[in-house]
Amino acid sequence: MSKVRPPGTRRSLPGISDPKSMPVGQTGFARLCRKGQYGLAPLRVVGVARVRISVGKLRGLQQISDDTGRFTMIAMDQRGSLQKMLHPENPKAATYAEMEAVKLGVTEALAPHASGYLLDPEYGVAAAINRFALPGRTGLLVALEQSGYEKKGNWRLTTLLDGWNVEKVKRLGASAAKLLVFFNPDAPREIVDHQVKVVQSI
């Protein structure tokens, strides 16, 4: 037999009498919200878990999500694949100006509709910021890995961009850094160790 709560009351989360009293940026309960007719309302809690996150990371997540807490993000950090699209027969023939122009055009058209926008530091980030193609209200994510991958046998290895790290990305004003890692726990030990070390170095 289900219980009916009186109108205007709210269900408390386990261990918290008042969810509003949760410490921001420290140990607390993760909750989802939706935007309803009368503002933000809690969604049905499917799984509640304790998480620990710094205030800075929480702020970064807020900057790349929309008002309802959803991530509506667009990736425009392609490099090798974009070169192939521009010059299928000779991808390396793609010039810096061509790459920059495509990224600027796509960013100007789509970034205003996204909560977060992913760019690469080689062709996209500087131009998008300097030419005001990326709106200030859209969160910026920056890729840290080189385009493509190094191949060893049948396995893919991730390689970081020289001179780029989280600290440098933050100085750009980015809200988050992106790292693409190919990982298979059944790969040879040296492959697994390499990929793990790449992640740990971040």
Side-chain angles (χ1 to χ4, degrees):
M1 179 175 170
S2 61
K3 296 181 179 180
V4 178
R5 294 191 303 276
T9 62
R10 55 196 294 182
R11 177 173 51 190
S12 297
L13 295 176
I16 294 182
S17 57
D18 182 7
K20 288 185 177 180
S21 66
M22 293 190 310
V24 176
Q26 299 180 20
T27 303
F29 282 94
R31 300 183 68 213
L32 296 175
C33 291
R34 62 176 172 81
K35 197 170 185 179
Q37 182 179 0
Y38 303 104
L40 291 177
L43 287 173
R44 181 172 62 89
V45 178
V46 178
V48 182
R50 289 185 181 275
V51 295
R52 183 180 294 275
I53 186 172
S54 68
V55 173
K57 289 180 180 179
L58 177 61
R59 181 58 178 160
L61 290 173
Q62 291 172 340
Q63 291 171 338
I64 61 175
S65 60
D66 63 18
D67 292 339
T68 68
R70 294 182 176 89
F71 299 100
T72 56
M73 299 189 288
I74 295 174
M76 194 56 203
D77 66 326
Q78 299 87 346
R79 285 150 282 175
S81 59
L82 181 55
Q83 290 171 330
K84 291 178 182 177
M85 290 174 63
L86 292 171
H87 295 276
E89 297 181 358
N90 182 18
K92 294 300 181 182
T95 65
Y96 185 95
E98 288 177 317
M99 296 285 285
E100 182 185 81
V102 172
K103 289 178 179 287
L104 278 174
V106 175
T107 301
E108 289 174 349
L110 300 181
H113 308 287
S115 64
Y117 201 82
L118 170 62
L119 286 165
D120 63 277
E122 295 171 283
Y123 302 99
V125 173
I129 295 175
N130 288 333
R131 301 190 189 183
F132 296 87
L134 183 69
R137 66 179 179 277
T138 301
L140 172 64
L141 299 91
V142 177
L144 289 179
E145 79 283 350
Q146 292 183 12
S147 179
Y149 51 84
E150 177 186 345
K151 197 166 185 180
K152 192 164 187 178
N154 294 323
W155 308 99
R156 298 176 177 182
L157 299 176
T158 299
T159 304
L160 297 176
L161 283 168
D162 291 335
W164 285 92
N165 53 37
V166 174
E167 289 73 20
K168 189 171 182 178
V169 164
K170 291 296 289 183
R171 288 200 298 271
L172 275 175
S175 302
K178 167 255 183 180
L179 178 64
L180 174 61
V181 177
F182 304 95
F183 189 80
N184 186 332
D186 297 324
R189 175 51 54 187
E190 62 176 316
I191 303 297
V192 172
D193 289 346
H194 176 276
Q195 297 298 79
V196 170
K197 286 180 182 178
V198 168
V199 176
Q200 290 175 336
S201 70
I202 299 297

